[in-house]
Amino acid sequence: MIESLKTIHGENMVVTVKPIFNSGKHYGAIAVMKRFYDEEVRQHKLRTLLMGKGYRAKYGFDDIIGESKAMMQCKNIAQRMAVSNSSILITGETGTGKEMFAQAIHNASERRPYQFVALNCGAIPESLLESELFGYEEGAFTGARKGGKLGFFELAHKGTLFLDEISEMSTSLQKRLLRVLQEREVTRVGGSSVIHVDARVIAATNRDLRALTRTGAFREDLYYRLSVLPLKVPALRERTEDIRILAALECAGQKFDLTEVAWRELSGTAGRAMSGNCAIIWSILRI
Protein backbone atom coordinates (compact mmCIF):
# COMPACT_ATOMS: atom_id res chain seq x y z
CA MET A 1 0.00 0.00 0.00
CA ILE A 2 1.30 3.43 -0.95
CA GLU A 3 0.03 6.59 0.73
CA SER A 4 0.91 10.11 -0.39
CA LEU A 5 -0.31 13.69 -0.14
CA LYS A 6 -1.33 15.39 -3.39
CA THR A 7 -2.79 18.78 -4.25
CA ILE A 8 -5.82 18.45 -6.55
CA HIS A 9 -7.61 21.61 -7.73
CA GLY A 10 -5.96 23.55 -4.92
CA GLU A 11 -7.04 21.15 -2.16
CA ASN A 12 -4.78 18.79 -0.21
CA MET A 13 -5.79 15.15 -0.70
CA VAL A 14 -4.56 11.95 0.93
CA VAL A 15 -4.18 9.37 -1.86
CA THR A 16 -3.92 5.71 -0.90
CA VAL A 17 -3.07 3.17 -3.60
CA LYS A 18 -3.49 -0.53 -2.79
CA PRO A 19 -2.43 -3.18 -5.38
CA ILE A 20 -4.74 -6.10 -6.20
CA PHE A 21 -3.22 -9.60 -6.33
CA ASN A 22 -4.88 -12.94 -6.96
CA SER A 23 -2.95 -16.22 -6.96
CA GLY A 24 0.25 -14.25 -7.12
CA LYS A 25 -0.82 -12.34 -10.22
CA HIS A 26 -1.07 -8.56 -10.24
CA TYR A 27 -4.43 -7.41 -11.67
CA GLY A 28 -4.27 -3.70 -10.96
CA ALA A 29 -4.77 -1.30 -8.04
CA ILE A 30 -7.43 0.58 -6.11
CA ALA A 31 -6.93 4.27 -5.37
CA VAL A 32 -8.77 5.96 -2.51
CA MET A 33 -8.73 9.73 -2.17
CA LYS A 34 -9.71 11.60 0.99
CA ARG A 35 -9.53 15.27 1.84
CA PHE A 36 -6.66 15.96 4.21
CA TYR A 37 -9.01 18.14 6.26
CA ASP A 38 -11.35 15.18 6.79
CA GLU A 39 -8.41 13.11 8.01
CA GLU A 40 -7.50 15.87 10.46
CA VAL A 41 -11.08 15.88 11.78
CA ARG A 42 -10.98 12.10 12.20
CA GLN A 43 -7.71 12.32 14.13
CA HIS A 44 -9.18 15.01 16.36
CA LYS A 45 -12.19 12.81 17.16
CA LEU A 46 -9.82 10.02 18.20
CA ARG A 47 -7.85 12.41 20.40
CA THR A 48 -11.11 13.66 21.90
CA LEU A 49 -11.73 10.11 23.15
CA LEU A 50 -8.38 10.32 24.93
CA MET A 51 -9.56 13.46 26.71
CA GLY A 52 -11.62 11.17 28.89
CA LYS A 53 -8.30 10.18 30.46
CA GLY A 54 -7.90 13.68 31.89
CA TYR A 55 -6.30 15.66 29.07
CA ARG A 56 -8.40 18.72 29.82
CA ALA A 57 -7.74 22.12 31.36
CA LYS A 58 -10.01 22.55 34.39
CA TYR A 59 -9.21 26.11 35.39
CA GLY A 60 -9.91 29.53 33.91
CA PHE A 61 -8.82 33.01 34.92
CA ASP A 62 -11.87 33.35 37.17
CA ASP A 63 -10.53 30.45 39.26
CA ILE A 64 -7.28 32.28 40.04
CA ILE A 65 -7.92 34.04 43.34
CA GLY A 66 -6.42 37.45 43.97
CA GLU A 67 -7.35 41.12 43.75
CA SER A 68 -3.95 42.66 44.47
CA LYS A 69 -2.30 44.89 41.90
CA ALA A 70 0.47 42.34 41.29
CA MET A 71 -1.96 39.47 40.66
CA MET A 72 -4.34 41.53 38.51
CA GLN A 73 -1.41 42.69 36.38
CA CYS A 74 -0.17 39.09 36.01
CA LYS A 75 -3.64 37.88 34.96
CA ASN A 76 -3.97 40.74 32.49
CA ILE A 77 -0.65 39.86 30.85
CA ALA A 78 -1.58 36.16 30.72
CA GLN A 79 -4.94 36.92 29.10
CA ARG A 80 -3.18 38.86 26.35
CA MET A 81 -0.74 35.98 25.87
CA ALA A 82 -3.66 33.58 25.36
CA VAL A 83 -4.51 35.05 21.93
CA SER A 84 -1.00 34.26 20.66
CA ASN A 85 0.39 30.90 19.52
CA SER A 86 3.93 31.61 20.74
CA SER A 87 5.65 29.56 23.44
CA ILE A 88 5.28 30.78 27.03
CA LEU A 89 7.70 30.40 29.93
CA ILE A 90 6.00 30.73 33.33
CA THR A 91 8.34 31.35 36.27
CA GLY A 92 7.56 31.63 39.95
CA GLU A 93 8.20 30.00 43.29
CA THR A 94 6.69 26.66 44.29
CA GLY A 95 3.01 26.97 45.18
CA THR A 96 2.26 30.17 43.26
CA GLY A 97 -0.10 28.50 40.77
CA LYS A 98 1.94 28.19 37.58
CA GLU A 99 -0.11 25.29 36.21
CA MET A 100 -3.36 27.11 36.95
CA PHE A 101 -2.13 29.96 34.78
CA ALA A 102 -1.16 27.50 32.03
CA GLN A 103 -4.63 25.94 32.09
CA ALA A 104 -6.31 29.35 32.14
CA ILE A 105 -4.27 30.47 29.13
CA HIS A 106 -5.26 27.32 27.24
CA ASN A 107 -8.95 27.80 28.05
CA ALA A 108 -8.82 31.42 26.90
CA SER A 109 -7.14 30.54 23.60
CA GLU A 110 -8.38 29.24 20.25
CA ARG A 111 -6.95 25.85 21.26
CA ARG A 112 -9.55 25.39 24.00
CA PRO A 113 -11.55 22.67 22.13
CA TYR A 114 -8.42 20.53 21.96
CA GLN A 115 -6.27 18.69 24.50
CA PHE A 116 -4.32 20.19 27.40
CA VAL A 117 -1.53 17.71 28.14
CA ALA A 118 0.63 18.23 31.23
CA LEU A 119 3.95 16.55 31.96
CA ASN A 120 6.24 17.01 34.96
CA CYS A 121 9.79 16.76 33.61
CA GLY A 122 11.27 16.41 37.08
CA ALA A 123 9.14 13.44 38.14
CA ILE A 124 10.01 11.05 35.29
CA PRO A 125 13.41 9.36 34.65
CA GLU A 126 15.23 10.59 31.52
CA SER A 127 14.90 7.26 29.65
CA LEU A 128 11.13 7.22 30.21
CA LEU A 129 10.67 10.95 29.64
CA GLU A 130 11.93 10.66 26.06
CA SER A 131 9.38 8.00 25.14
CA GLU A 132 6.60 9.89 26.94
CA LEU A 133 7.35 13.10 25.03
CA PHE A 134 7.99 11.70 21.57
CA GLY A 135 6.30 8.30 21.67
CA TYR A 136 7.83 5.03 20.48
CA GLU A 137 7.41 2.34 17.87
CA GLU A 138 6.67 -1.31 18.54
CA GLY A 139 9.82 -3.16 19.58
CA ALA A 140 11.78 0.07 20.20
CA PHE A 141 12.96 -1.31 23.55
CA THR A 142 12.30 -4.15 25.98
CA GLY A 143 8.78 -3.83 27.33
CA ALA A 144 7.59 -1.54 24.54
CA ARG A 145 3.83 -1.78 24.02
CA LYS A 146 2.62 -3.72 20.98
CA GLY A 147 1.74 -1.26 18.24
CA GLY A 148 3.84 1.49 19.82
CA LYS A 149 2.57 4.51 21.71
CA LEU A 150 1.63 8.10 20.97
CA GLY A 151 3.91 10.69 22.52
CA PHE A 152 2.63 13.69 24.46
CA PHE A 153 3.42 15.96 21.53
CA GLU A 154 1.10 13.90 19.33
CA LEU A 155 -1.58 13.83 22.03
CA ALA A 156 -1.39 17.61 22.28
CA HIS A 157 -1.76 18.15 18.50
CA LYS A 158 -3.83 21.32 17.93
CA GLY A 159 -3.85 21.83 21.71
CA THR A 160 -1.37 22.78 24.45
CA LEU A 161 1.55 20.85 25.94
CA PHE A 162 2.48 22.00 29.45
CA LEU A 163 6.01 21.08 30.53
CA ASP A 164 6.40 21.63 34.27
CA GLU A 165 9.85 21.76 35.93
CA ILE A 166 11.47 22.20 32.51
CA SER A 167 14.77 23.00 34.23
CA GLU A 168 15.10 19.32 35.26
CA MET A 169 15.23 18.08 31.65
CA SER A 170 18.59 16.64 30.58
CA THR A 171 20.65 18.47 27.96
CA SER A 172 20.24 15.60 25.47
CA LEU A 173 16.46 15.84 25.66
CA GLN A 174 16.68 19.63 25.52
CA LYS A 175 18.30 19.25 22.10
CA ARG A 176 15.45 17.07 20.83
CA LEU A 177 12.86 19.43 22.27
CA LEU A 178 14.53 22.38 20.55
CA ARG A 179 14.28 20.64 17.17
CA VAL A 180 10.57 19.94 17.69
CA LEU A 181 9.95 23.60 18.52
CA GLN A 182 11.89 24.67 15.43
CA GLU A 183 10.56 22.17 12.89
CA ARG A 184 7.17 21.27 14.41
CA GLU A 185 8.01 17.62 13.71
CA VAL A 186 8.67 14.61 15.93
CA THR A 187 10.19 11.19 15.34
CA ARG A 188 9.18 8.42 17.70
CA VAL A 189 11.81 6.46 19.62
CA GLY A 190 12.85 3.55 17.40
CA GLY A 191 11.08 5.01 14.38
CA SER A 192 12.11 6.78 11.20
CA SER A 193 8.89 8.49 10.12
CA VAL A 194 8.58 12.22 10.66
CA ILE A 195 5.25 13.25 12.24
CA HIS A 196 3.98 16.82 11.95
CA VAL A 197 2.66 18.28 15.21
CA ASP A 198 0.95 21.57 15.97
CA ALA A 199 1.08 21.98 19.74
CA ARG A 200 1.62 25.15 21.72
CA VAL A 201 4.24 24.66 24.41
CA ILE A 202 3.92 26.29 27.82
CA ALA A 203 6.86 25.58 30.12
CA ALA A 204 7.18 26.34 33.82
CA THR A 205 10.01 26.41 36.34
CA ASN A 206 10.78 27.65 39.84
CA ARG A 207 14.47 28.09 38.96
CA ASP A 208 16.38 30.85 37.19
CA LEU A 209 16.80 29.44 33.69
CA ARG A 210 18.86 32.44 32.60
CA ALA A 211 21.43 31.61 35.29
CA LEU A 212 21.38 27.93 34.28
CA THR A 213 22.24 28.88 30.69
CA ARG A 214 25.38 30.64 31.93
CA THR A 215 26.56 27.45 33.66
CA GLY A 216 25.67 25.25 30.69
CA ALA A 217 22.97 23.33 32.60
CA PHE A 218 20.31 24.62 30.22
CA ARG A 219 20.63 25.34 26.50
CA GLU A 220 20.55 29.04 25.72
CA ASP A 221 18.88 28.53 22.33
CA LEU A 222 16.11 26.48 23.94
CA TYR A 223 15.66 29.13 26.63
CA TYR A 224 14.97 31.78 23.99
CA ARG A 225 12.63 29.42 22.13
CA LEU A 226 10.59 28.80 25.28
CA SER A 227 10.56 32.35 26.64
CA VAL A 228 9.10 34.09 23.61
CA LEU A 229 6.40 35.25 26.03
CA PRO A 230 7.70 35.28 29.63
CA LEU A 231 5.25 35.35 32.56
CA LYS A 232 6.29 35.70 36.21
CA VAL A 233 3.72 34.67 38.80
CA PRO A 234 4.11 36.73 42.01
CA ALA A 235 4.70 35.02 45.34
CA LEU A 236 2.17 35.61 48.11
CA ARG A 237 4.60 37.83 50.01
CA GLU A 238 4.48 40.17 47.00
CA ARG A 239 0.69 40.41 47.20
CA THR A 240 -0.14 40.35 50.91
CA GLU A 241 -3.47 42.06 50.15
CA ASP A 242 -4.70 38.67 48.93
CA ILE A 243 -3.98 36.84 52.19
CA ARG A 244 -7.36 37.67 53.72
CA ILE A 245 -9.18 36.51 50.57
CA LEU A 246 -7.23 33.24 50.47
CA ALA A 247 -7.72 32.69 54.20
CA ALA A 248 -11.48 32.88 53.73
CA LEU A 249 -11.37 29.94 51.30
CA GLU A 250 -12.21 26.46 52.46
CA CYS A 251 -8.98 24.57 53.15
CA ALA A 252 -8.87 20.87 54.02
CA GLY A 253 -12.64 20.87 54.62
CA GLN A 254 -12.58 23.76 57.10
CA LYS A 255 -13.33 27.45 56.70
CA PHE A 256 -11.87 30.19 58.87
CA ASP A 257 -11.52 33.96 59.09
CA LEU A 258 -8.52 35.99 60.20
CA THR A 259 -8.66 38.09 63.36
CA GLU A 260 -7.14 41.56 63.18
CA VAL A 261 -4.15 40.33 65.22
CA ALA A 262 -3.56 37.45 62.79
CA TRP A 263 -4.02 39.77 59.83
CA ARG A 264 -1.39 42.21 61.13
CA GLU A 265 0.99 39.32 61.82
CA LEU A 266 0.56 37.81 58.36
CA SER A 267 0.88 41.20 56.68
CA GLY A 268 4.11 41.85 58.54
CA THR A 269 7.06 39.55 59.13
CA ALA A 270 5.21 36.32 58.33
CA GLY A 271 3.72 37.78 55.15
CA ARG A 272 7.14 38.75 53.87
CA ALA A 273 8.40 35.22 54.44
CA MET A 274 5.65 33.44 52.53
CA SER A 275 5.79 32.15 48.96
CA GLY A 276 2.91 29.64 48.69
CA ASN A 277 -0.84 30.00 49.10
CA CYS A 278 -3.48 28.15 51.09
CA ALA A 279 -1.20 25.46 52.53
CA ILE A 280 1.24 28.05 53.92
CA ILE A 281 -1.55 30.14 55.48
CA TRP A 282 -2.81 26.92 57.06
CA SER A 283 0.59 26.14 58.62
CA ILE A 284 1.05 29.69 59.95
CA LEU A 285 -2.37 29.73 61.65
CA ARG A 286 -1.65 26.22 63.04
CA ILE A 287 -5.26 25.07 62.51
Side-chain angles (χ1 to χ4, degrees), residues 67-108:
E67 298 177 0
S68 63
K69 182 179 178 180
M71 181 54 75
M72 294 303 291
Q73 183 180 28
C74 185
K75 288 170 68 173
N76 181 262
I77 293 172
Q79 285 170 333
R80 284 184 282 150
M81 289 180 173
V83 301
S84 169
N85 273 319
S86 299
S87 301
I88 297 175
L89 178 62
I90 303 177
T91 57
E93 298 177 19
T94 301
T96 51
K98 295 185 288 297
E99 183 169 352
M100 286 191 71
F101 268 94
Q103 293 193 24
I105 289 170
H106 172 81
N107 277 333

Short mmCIF file of all heavy atoms in Angstrom, two decimals, residues 67-108:
data_model
loop_
_atom_site.label_atom_id
_atom_site.label_comp_id
_atom_site.label_asym_id
_atom_site.label_seq_id
_atom_site.Cartn_x
_atom_site.Cartn_y
_atom_site.Cartn_z
N GLU A 67 -6.91 39.80 44.21
CA GLU A 67 -7.35 41.12 43.75
C GLU A 67 -6.26 42.17 43.93
O GLU A 67 -6.49 43.36 43.73
CB GLU A 67 -8.61 41.55 44.52
CG GLU A 67 -9.80 40.62 44.28
CD GLU A 67 -11.02 41.02 45.09
OE1 GLU A 67 -10.91 42.03 45.84
OE2 GLU A 67 -12.06 40.34 45.00
N SER A 68 -5.06 41.72 44.29
CA SER A 68 -3.95 42.66 44.47
C SER A 68 -3.50 43.19 43.12
O SER A 68 -3.78 42.58 42.06
CB SER A 68 -2.79 41.96 45.17
OG SER A 68 -2.30 40.90 44.36
N LYS A 69 -2.79 44.30 43.14
CA LYS A 69 -2.30 44.89 41.90
C LYS A 69 -1.37 43.94 41.16
O LYS A 69 -1.45 43.80 39.93
CB LYS A 69 -1.57 46.21 42.21
CG LYS A 69 -1.07 46.93 40.96
CD LYS A 69 -0.38 48.23 41.34
CE LYS A 69 0.16 48.92 40.08
NZ LYS A 69 0.85 50.20 40.42
N ALA A 70 -0.49 43.25 41.92
CA ALA A 70 0.47 42.34 41.29
C ALA A 70 -0.23 41.17 40.60
O ALA A 70 0.12 40.79 39.48
CB ALA A 70 1.44 41.80 42.35
N MET A 71 -1.26 40.60 41.25
CA MET A 71 -1.96 39.47 40.66
C MET A 71 -2.84 39.91 39.49
O MET A 71 -2.90 39.22 38.46
CB MET A 71 -2.81 38.76 41.72
CG MET A 71 -3.56 37.55 41.18
SD MET A 71 -2.50 36.34 40.35
CE MET A 71 -1.69 35.57 41.74
N MET A 72 -3.50 41.04 39.60
CA MET A 72 -4.34 41.53 38.51
C MET A 72 -3.50 41.85 37.28
O MET A 72 -3.90 41.59 36.14
CB MET A 72 -5.12 42.76 38.95
CG MET A 72 -6.15 42.48 40.05
SD MET A 72 -7.36 41.21 39.58
CE MET A 72 -8.27 42.07 38.31
N GLN A 73 -2.31 42.39 37.49
CA GLN A 73 -1.41 42.69 36.38
C GLN A 73 -0.94 41.39 35.72
O GLN A 73 -0.88 41.30 34.48
CB GLN A 73 -0.21 43.50 36.87
CG GLN A 73 0.73 43.92 35.76
CD GLN A 73 1.91 44.73 36.28
OE1 GLN A 73 2.34 44.58 37.42
NE2 GLN A 73 2.45 45.61 35.45
N CYS A 74 -0.62 40.37 36.54
CA CYS A 74 -0.17 39.09 36.01
C CYS A 74 -1.28 38.43 35.19
O CYS A 74 -1.04 37.90 34.09
CB CYS A 74 0.25 38.18 37.17
SG CYS A 74 0.97 36.60 36.65
N LYS A 75 -2.51 38.47 35.68
CA LYS A 75 -3.64 37.88 34.96
C LYS A 75 -3.90 38.62 33.66
O LYS A 75 -4.22 38.01 32.63
CB LYS A 75 -4.89 37.89 35.85
CG LYS A 75 -4.84 36.89 36.98
CD LYS A 75 -5.97 37.08 37.97
CE LYS A 75 -7.31 36.75 37.40
NZ LYS A 75 -8.38 36.77 38.44
N ASN A 76 -3.76 39.94 33.70
CA ASN A 76 -3.97 40.74 32.49
C ASN A 76 -2.96 40.38 31.40
O ASN A 76 -3.31 40.25 30.22
CB ASN A 76 -3.89 42.23 32.83
CG ASN A 76 -4.13 43.12 31.64
OD1 ASN A 76 -3.19 43.60 31.01
ND2 ASN A 76 -5.38 43.34 31.30
N ILE A 77 -1.70 40.23 31.80
CA ILE A 77 -0.65 39.86 30.85
C ILE A 77 -0.93 38.47 30.28
O ILE A 77 -0.81 38.24 29.08
CB ILE A 77 0.74 39.90 31.52
CG1 ILE A 77 1.10 41.34 31.89
CG2 ILE A 77 1.81 39.30 30.61
CD1 ILE A 77 2.37 41.46 32.74
N ALA A 78 -1.31 37.53 31.16
CA ALA A 78 -1.58 36.16 30.72
C ALA A 78 -2.76 36.10 29.75
O ALA A 78 -2.74 35.33 28.79
CB ALA A 78 -1.87 35.28 31.94
N GLN A 79 -3.78 36.90 29.99
CA GLN A 79 -4.94 36.92 29.10
C GLN A 79 -4.56 37.42 27.71
O GLN A 79 -5.07 36.93 26.70
CB GLN A 79 -6.04 37.81 29.70
CG GLN A 79 -6.76 37.15 30.87
CD GLN A 79 -7.68 38.10 31.60
OE1 GLN A 79 -7.46 39.31 31.62
NE2 GLN A 79 -8.71 37.57 32.22
N ARG A 80 -3.64 38.38 27.66
CA ARG A 80 -3.18 38.86 26.35
C ARG A 80 -2.31 37.83 25.66
O ARG A 80 -2.30 37.73 24.43
CB ARG A 80 -2.43 40.18 26.51
CG ARG A 80 -3.36 41.38 26.77
CD ARG A 80 -2.60 42.67 26.83
NE ARG A 80 -1.94 42.84 28.11
CZ ARG A 80 -0.81 43.51 28.30
NH1 ARG A 80 -0.18 44.04 27.25
NH2 ARG A 80 -0.29 43.64 29.49
N MET A 81 -1.57 37.04 26.44
CA MET A 81 -0.74 35.98 25.87
C MET A 81 -1.60 34.88 25.27
O MET A 81 -1.17 34.18 24.34
CB MET A 81 0.17 35.39 26.95
CG MET A 81 1.30 36.29 27.40
SD MET A 81 2.29 35.49 28.67
CE MET A 81 3.64 36.67 28.84
N ALA A 82 -2.81 34.69 25.80
CA ALA A 82 -3.66 33.58 25.36
C ALA A 82 -4.03 33.68 23.89
O ALA A 82 -4.26 32.66 23.24
CB ALA A 82 -4.92 33.53 26.22
N VAL A 83 -4.08 34.88 23.34
CA VAL A 83 -4.51 35.05 21.93
C VAL A 83 -3.36 34.74 20.97
O VAL A 83 -3.57 34.66 19.75
CB VAL A 83 -5.03 36.48 21.67
CG1 VAL A 83 -6.21 36.79 22.58
CG2 VAL A 83 -3.92 37.51 21.87
N SER A 84 -2.16 34.55 21.50
CA SER A 84 -1.00 34.26 20.66
C SER A 84 -0.78 32.75 20.59
O SER A 84 -1.32 31.98 21.39
CB SER A 84 0.24 34.94 21.21
OG SER A 84 1.41 34.49 20.59
N ASN A 85 0.02 32.31 19.62
CA ASN A 85 0.39 30.90 19.52
C ASN A 85 1.84 30.68 19.92
O ASN A 85 2.35 29.56 19.79
CB ASN A 85 0.17 30.40 18.09
CG ASN A 85 -1.25 29.91 17.87
OD1 ASN A 85 -1.82 29.25 18.73
ND2 ASN A 85 -1.83 30.25 16.75
N SER A 86 2.52 31.72 20.38
CA SER A 86 3.93 31.61 20.74
C SER A 86 4.11 30.83 22.04
O SER A 86 3.20 30.73 22.87
CB SER A 86 4.54 33.01 20.89
OG SER A 86 4.46 33.72 19.68
N SER A 87 5.32 30.29 22.21
CA SER A 87 5.65 29.56 23.44
C SER A 87 5.68 30.51 24.63
O SER A 87 6.02 31.68 24.50
CB SER A 87 7.00 28.87 23.30
OG SER A 87 7.00 27.96 22.23
N ILE A 88 5.33 29.98 25.80
CA ILE A 88 5.28 30.78 27.03
C ILE A 88 6.15 30.11 28.08
O ILE A 88 6.13 28.88 28.24
CB ILE A 88 3.84 30.91 27.56
CG1 ILE A 88 2.96 31.66 26.55
CG2 ILE A 88 3.81 31.62 28.90
CD1 ILE A 88 1.50 31.73 26.95
N LEU A 89 6.93 30.90 28.80
CA LEU A 89 7.70 30.40 29.93
C LEU A 89 7.16 31.05 31.20
O LEU A 89 7.25 32.27 31.37
CB LEU A 89 9.19 30.72 29.78
CG LEU A 89 10.08 30.29 30.95
CD1 LEU A 89 10.05 28.77 31.12
CD2 LEU A 89 11.52 30.76 30.74
N ILE A 90 6.57 30.23 32.08
CA ILE A 90 6.00 30.73 33.33
C ILE A 90 7.00 30.46 34.45
O ILE A 90 7.42 29.31 34.66
CB ILE A 90 4.67 30.04 33.66
CG1 ILE A 90 3.67 30.24 32.51
CG2 ILE A 90 4.08 30.58 34.95
CD1 ILE A 90 2.34 29.53 32.71
N THR A 91 7.41 31.50 35.15
CA THR A 91 8.34 31.35 36.27
C THR A 91 7.65 31.78 37.55
O THR A 91 6.70 32.57 37.54
CB THR A 91 9.61 32.19 36.04
OG1 THR A 91 9.24 33.57 35.85
CG2 THR A 91 10.37 31.71 34.82
N GLY A 92 8.15 31.28 38.65
CA GLY A 92 7.56 31.63 39.95
C GLY A 92 7.93 30.57 40.96
O GLY A 92 8.30 29.43 40.62
N GLU A 93 7.84 30.92 42.23
CA GLU A 93 8.20 30.00 43.29
C GLU A 93 7.19 28.86 43.40
O GLU A 93 6.08 28.95 42.87
CB GLU A 93 8.32 30.75 44.62
CG GLU A 93 9.40 31.82 44.60
CD GLU A 93 9.47 32.62 45.89
OE1 GLU A 93 8.96 32.12 46.91
OE2 GLU A 93 10.02 33.73 45.86
N THR A 94 7.57 27.81 44.09
CA THR A 94 6.69 26.66 44.29
C THR A 94 5.43 27.09 45.02
O THR A 94 5.49 27.82 46.02
CB THR A 94 7.41 25.57 45.11
OG1 THR A 94 8.58 25.16 44.40
CG2 THR A 94 6.51 24.37 45.34
N GLY A 95 4.27 26.66 44.52
CA GLY A 95 3.01 26.97 45.18
C GLY A 95 2.34 28.25 44.73
O GLY A 95 1.33 28.64 45.30
N THR A 96 2.86 28.90 43.70
CA THR A 96 2.26 30.17 43.26
C THR A 96 1.18 29.98 42.20
O THR A 96 0.52 30.94 41.83
CB THR A 96 3.35 31.11 42.70
OG1 THR A 96 4.13 30.42 41.72
CG2 THR A 96 4.26 31.60 43.82
N GLY A 97 0.99 28.76 41.71
CA GLY A 97 -0.10 28.50 40.77
C GLY A 97 0.28 28.58 39.31
O GLY A 97 -0.51 29.03 38.47
N LYS A 98 1.47 28.10 38.97
CA LYS A 98 1.94 28.19 37.58
C LYS A 98 1.08 27.34 36.63
O LYS A 98 0.75 27.76 35.53
CB LYS A 98 3.41 27.79 37.50
CG LYS A 98 4.35 28.74 38.24
CD LYS A 98 5.79 28.38 38.04
CE LYS A 98 6.21 27.12 38.77
NZ LYS A 98 6.12 27.23 40.25
N GLU A 99 0.71 26.14 37.08
CA GLU A 99 -0.11 25.29 36.21
C GLU A 99 -1.52 25.85 36.05
O GLU A 99 -2.13 25.72 34.99
CB GLU A 99 -0.18 23.85 36.72
CG GLU A 99 -0.97 22.95 35.77
CD GLU A 99 -0.86 21.47 36.06
OE1 GLU A 99 -0.05 21.08 36.93
OE2 GLU A 99 -1.59 20.69 35.41
N MET A 100 -2.04 26.48 37.08
CA MET A 100 -3.36 27.11 36.95
C MET A 100 -3.34 28.18 35.87
O MET A 100 -4.28 28.31 35.08
CB MET A 100 -3.80 27.72 38.29
CG MET A 100 -4.25 26.72 39.32
SD MET A 100 -5.05 27.50 40.75
CE MET A 100 -6.61 28.02 40.03
N PHE A 101 -2.26 28.94 35.82
CA PHE A 101 -2.13 29.96 34.78
C PHE A 101 -2.03 29.30 33.40
O PHE A 101 -2.63 29.78 32.43
CB PHE A 101 -0.91 30.84 35.04
CG PHE A 101 -1.22 32.07 35.85
CD1 PHE A 101 -1.06 32.07 37.22
CD2 PHE A 101 -1.69 33.22 35.22
CE1 PHE A 101 -1.36 33.21 37.96
CE2 PHE A 101 -1.99 34.35 35.96
CZ PHE A 101 -1.84 34.35 37.33
N ALA A 102 -1.29 28.19 33.31
CA ALA A 102 -1.16 27.50 32.03
C ALA A 102 -2.52 26.99 31.55
O ALA A 102 -2.87 27.13 30.36
CB ALA A 102 -0.18 26.34 32.17
N GLN A 103 -3.30 26.43 32.46
CA GLN A 103 -4.63 25.94 32.09
C GLN A 103 -5.56 27.09 31.71
O GLN A 103 -6.34 26.97 30.75
CB GLN A 103 -5.23 25.13 33.24
CG GLN A 103 -4.49 23.84 33.52
CD GLN A 103 -5.28 22.91 34.45
OE1 GLN A 103 -6.49 22.99 34.55
NE2 GLN A 103 -4.57 22.02 35.13
N ALA A 104 -5.47 28.19 32.44
CA ALA A 104 -6.31 29.35 32.14
C ALA A 104 -5.98 29.93 30.76
O ALA A 104 -6.88 30.32 30.01
CB ALA A 104 -6.16 30.41 33.22
N ILE A 105 -4.69 29.98 30.44
CA ILE A 105 -4.27 30.47 29.13
C ILE A 105 -4.81 29.57 28.03
O ILE A 105 -5.32 30.05 27.00
CB ILE A 105 -2.73 30.55 29.06
CG1 ILE A 105 -2.22 31.69 29.96
CG2 ILE A 105 -2.25 30.76 27.62
CD1 ILE A 105 -0.71 31.70 30.15
N HIS A 106 -4.73 28.26 28.24
CA HIS A 106 -5.26 27.32 27.24
C HIS A 106 -6.77 27.53 27.04
O HIS A 106 -7.26 27.58 25.91
CB HIS A 106 -4.99 25.89 27.68
CG HIS A 106 -5.67 24.85 26.83
ND1 HIS A 106 -5.16 24.43 25.62
CD2 HIS A 106 -6.84 24.17 27.01
CE1 HIS A 106 -5.98 23.53 25.08
NE2 HIS A 106 -7.00 23.35 25.91
N ASN A 107 -7.50 27.66 28.14
CA ASN A 107 -8.95 27.80 28.05
C ASN A 107 -9.40 29.14 27.48
O ASN A 107 -10.55 29.29 27.07
CB ASN A 107 -9.59 27.59 29.43
CG ASN A 107 -9.79 26.12 29.75
OD1 ASN A 107 -9.93 25.30 28.86
ND2 ASN A 107 -9.78 25.79 31.03
N ALA A 108 -8.49 30.12 27.47
CA ALA A 108 -8.82 31.42 26.90
C ALA A 108 -8.32 31.56 25.46
O ALA A 108 -8.48 32.61 24.84
CB ALA A 108 -8.23 32.54 27.76
#
